[in-house]
Amino acid sequence: MDFKKIADGIWEAPPTAKKGMLVPARIYATDELFKEMDQGVFEQVTNVACLPGIQKYALCMPDGHWGYGFPIGGVAAMDPATGVISPGGIGFDINCGMRFLRTNLTEAEVKPKLRELIDRLFYAIPCGVGTKGPLRLKEDEFREVMVQGARGVIRRGYGWPEDAERIENSGCIPGADPAKVSAKATSRGINQLGTLGSGNHYMEIQVIYPGNIYDLDVARTLGVDREFQVVVMFHSGSRGFGHQVGTDYLEIFGRAMKRYGITTLDRELACAPFSSPEGQDYFKAMNCAANSAFANRQVITHRIREVFSDIFKRDARDLGLDVIYDVCHNIAKIERYRVDGQEKELLIHRKGATRSFPPGHPELAERYRAIGQPVIIGGSMETGSYLLIGTDKAMEDSFGSTAHGSGRTMSRTAARKKVHGRDLLRRMEQKGIYVRAASLSGVAEEAGMAYKDISAVVDAVEKLGLSKKVVRLQPIGNIKG
C-alpha cells in the first residue's frame, strides 16, 4: 500500500491509492513504529476510507495493529445523515476501557502486603471467560443499569457520589434503549457486573517512581504528584453482554446492507446507514452495552476499595482511593468538530483509541475543565503505563482522539510459542512484579515482548500534540484476566 510520509510522524495514502477510497487514510507514527506495523493496518485503514459518509480522513493511531474490520487504533468520523455505523469500528467488547484510581499509600507501605493484596483482589474480582460477579440483579434492574450506567450501581451502594463526574460522559451515555437488546445479550450480561474478563484485561497496582512526573502542576491537580505514590489501574469492558450485542447486529447488518445497496471491501466492515432503523437500533443497543461497561468498572472499583480497606484496616476514603478518570476506547459517539471551516455534528468511531478533549471543552466536568481530560494509556503488564491530558491539537487533527495502549506486535499464538506462562511469572517476580492469573497461557499472550514500546507510543502522541504526558506508572502487582 502506497503510504508516504507527509510530515514528521504523519503517513498518508491518497484516495487514489485504492479503488473506492473517499478520503485519504492517515497513520500517525514515528518511523520506527510505522515499520513495526503489520500489513493488516494498511489494508484496513484504507478500507475504512471507503465507507459511505466518512469525513476528512480515516485514521490510525501510533499503537495501531490488525483488528476486526477496523485496525485497532482506528478512528473514523461519519456524517450522521449520509454515513454508516459499523460494529467493526467499535469492537465486540463495546466500551472496553481503562479506569485509574489514586491512593495516599506509598510503595513502602504497600510492598509488605503486596502478595496478600493481589491474592485477595484476585478472588474479589472474578477473572476469566464466563465468570459471574457479586451482583444478582433482576432483569428489570439490569435494564435500569443499561440506561443509568455507573450511577445505576452507585445508587445501589457500589461507589461514591463523586465517582460519576470522574468518568467519561459521567458514566452514562444518553440514548440507550434496552428494548433494542436481545434476550440472549441480557442473559449473558446480567450476572457479569464486577468481573474483569479474559484476554488483555487486567488490574494493576503501580508506583510513581522518581523522574516519572512530567507536569507537576497537572499532576497536583489530579492528586498523583508524590514520588513512590501507589495507584491502581484496570482494563475491562462490557463482557459477554457487549459481545452478544455486536454479534446480533452483525447478522442484522448483513441483511440490511443488501437492502440499502451498500458494499464494503471487507465483510468485517458490515454496516448500516446511521439514520436507518437498523443503524439507530444498533446505536441504542450499543449505548446499553457501553453503560453496562461503566457499571462493570464501577463495581470493580468498589471491590478494590473493600479489599484495600480490609487489608490496611482503614476506611477507603482515608486511604484516598479516589477515581481519577475512566475512559472508553471502543465506542461510537456523536461529537462536534470543525470540518472545512464549518462546525458539524459527527458520529466518531473509536476502535482502540482514547478520547483526548482539551482544556475548556464543554463536555468535561468542572474539576477537569482547566487542565483537559485525563487520558489513560495502558501498557503491557511488564512495562508500565501513562497518564496524559487532552489537547487542542487532537481536536484539530484526530477528532479529539489519541492512542489507547502499547499495541501488539505479535499475535497471541506467536507469543505463546515464544514464552511459557510459568517462566514469565517467575521472571516478572524477579523484577518485583507479583502476578496472579486466570491461566498460564493467558499470561504468555500478554508478555511485554508481544507489544510495542509503550514509551515510544506515548512519545509519538506527545510529539504529534495529540495528548500531553503527566505521569509514568510502573507495575508492582498484577491480576491477569
Side-chain angles (χ1 to χ4, degrees):
M1 191 56 60
D2 189 19
F3 275 86
K4 287 194 167 51
K5 189 174 179 180
I6 60 166
D8 198 17
I10 306 176
W11 306 76
E12 185 173 292
T16 52
K18 180 183 278 187
K19 188 179 179 185
M21 282 176 66
L22 301 172
V23 295
R26 276 193 173 183
I27 295 173
Y28 292 134
T30 59
D31 293 3
E32 292 74 20
L33 290 169
F34 185 80
K35 284 177 195 163
E36 282 183 13
M37 285 186 181
D38 51 282
Q39 186 63 29
V41 171
F42 309 131
E43 288 297 334
Q44 290 186 321
V45 72
T46 48
N47 290 343
V48 172
C50 302
L51 289 174
I54 190 164
Q55 303 288 297
K56 212 168 173 179
Y57 313 106
L59 296 170
C60 185
M61 298 295 117
D63 53 336
H65 59 100
W66 178 86
Y68 182 93
F70 274 49
I72 309 295
V75 177
M78 305 296 177
D79 184 310
T82 61
V84 295
I85 185 167
S86 173
I90 292 154
F92 281 92
D93 191 357
I94 294 166
N95 189 6
C96 186
M98 306 290 303
R99 187 173 286 206
F100 180 61
L101 285 70
R102 67 175 300 283
T103 80
N104 292 332
L105 296 164
T106 63
E107 184 184 25
E109 292 170 291
V110 169
K111 263 292 176 82
K113 297 177 182 289
L114 182 64
R115 277 181 171 271
E116 185 183 2
L117 256 178
I118 291 292
D119 290 345
R120 289 278 302 278
L121 288 165
F122 183 70
Y123 289 107
I125 306 166
C127 306
V129 178
T131 49
K132 294 180 179 176
L135 269 73
R136 290 293 172 267
L137 299 178
K138 295 174 183 171
E139 281 196 20
D140 60 333
E141 293 172 326
F142 186 48
R143 283 193 285 273
E144 280 180 11
V145 170
M146 292 182 205
V147 174
Q148 297 173 359
R151 291 183 192 278
V153 292
I154 291 172
R155 69 182 185 83
R156 287 179 166 82
Y158 289 86
W160 301 341
E162 66 269 29
D163 290 344
E165 70 174 31
R166 302 172 188 200
I167 302 173
E168 187 169 325
N169 281 91
S170 300
C172 176
I173 298 175
D177 183 354
K180 306 304 179 186
V181 172
S182 71
K184 188 172 182 181
T186 298
S187 70
R188 287 186 67 179
I190 195 166
N191 291 323
Q192 289 199 320
L193 296 176
T195 62
L196 197 63
S198 58
N200 59 358
H201 293 158
Y202 65 86
M203 193 230 68
E204 200 161 81
I205 297 176
Q206 305 167 335
V207 177
I208 302 169
Y209 287 117
N212 286 346
I213 299 175
Y214 306 101
D215 188 328
L216 186 57
D217 289 340
V218 173
R220 279 190 183 128
T221 302
L222 294 169
V224 286
D225 56 342
R226 289 186 297 144
E227 293 178 348
F228 301 106
Q229 184 176 354
V230 168
V231 299
V232 182
M233 181 180 288
F234 62 91
H235 177 219
S236 188
S238 50
R239 312 281 292 104
F241 181 44
H243 196 281
Q244 190 60 46
V245 168
T247 302
D248 292 340
Y249 278 89
L250 277 175
E251 193 178 325
I252 293 168
F253 282 13
R255 295 191 294 271
M257 285 173 69
K258 291 177 188 167
R259 194 174 315 124
Y260 295 113
I262 299 173
T263 56
T264 58
L265 295 181
D266 181 351
R267 58 186 293 277
E268 294 180 354
L269 288 174
C271 56
F274 180 62
S275 58
S276 69
E278 294 87 349
Q280 286 295 296
D281 286 353
Y282 170 66
F283 189 58
K284 291 168 185 173
M286 184 208 70
N287 285 333
C288 289
N291 287 337
S292 170
F294 285 135
N296 180 38
R297 293 197 285 272
Q298 185 61 44
V299 176
I300 291 173
T301 298
H302 178 75
R303 300 290 273 176
I304 290 169
R305 285 172 174 159
E306 281 184 332
V307 170
F308 268 78
S309 180
D310 196 38
I311 287 181
F312 288 96
K313 309 299 179 198
R314 290 162 64 187
D315 186 84
R317 284 193 182 275
D318 184 42
L319 292 170
L321 267 159
D322 298 317
V323 174
I324 297 301
Y325 211 57
D326 176 309
V327 292
C328 317
H329 52 228
N330 280 0
I331 197 79
K333 291 163 122 177
I334 296 289
E335 295 170 359
R336 295 189 74 81
Y337 293 92
R338 290 192 76 78
V339 177
D340 299 328
Q342 288 192 327
E343 190 162 299
K344 294 178 73 172
E345 211 164 58
L346 299 173
L347 176 69
I348 308 298
H349 289 67
R350 292 193 182 96
K351 162 81 169 288
T354 305
R355 197 181 75 173
S356 182
F357 280 178
H361 195 286
E363 285 193 30
L364 295 185
E366 189 60 40
R367 65 181 294 107
Y368 297 133
R369 196 69 62 80
I371 59 171
Q373 177 214 303
V375 169
I376 307 165
I377 299 186
S380 79
M381 60 188 178
E382 289 189 85
T383 54
S385 301
Y386 283 82
L387 181 67
L388 303 91
I389 214 80
T391 63
D392 288 308
K393 194 81 164 52
M395 297 300 286
E396 296 164 14
D397 290 356
S398 60
F399 299 106
S401 307
T402 188
H404 86 304
S406 294
R408 297 193 78 92
T409 56
M410 191 181 291
S411 71
R412 290 187 165 88
T413 303
R416 285 199 303 272
K417 287 179 181 173
K418 287 268 186 185
V419 65
H420 191 280
R422 198 180 305 282
D423 294 337
L424 180 58
L425 289 180
R426 195 178 302 119
R427 190 173 80 202
M428 289 179 66
E429 188 149 4
Q430 286 168 354
K431 288 161 63 176
I433 308 168
Y434 176 58
V435 181
R436 288 293 305 266
S439 76
L440 289 174
S441 60
V443 172
E445 290 171 1
E446 298 304 312
M449 65 177 182
Y451 283 89
K452 296 179 174 69
D453 178 347
I454 181 69
S455 296
V457 169
V458 168
D459 287 347
V461 294
E462 183 167 72
K463 197 171 177 183
L464 286 158
L466 303 183
S467 40
K468 187 170 178 293
K469 282 193 292 190
V470 180
V471 177
R472 182 179 181 186
L473 312 145
Q474 291 181 261
I476 57 172
N478 185 296
I479 293 171
K480 177 73 195 67

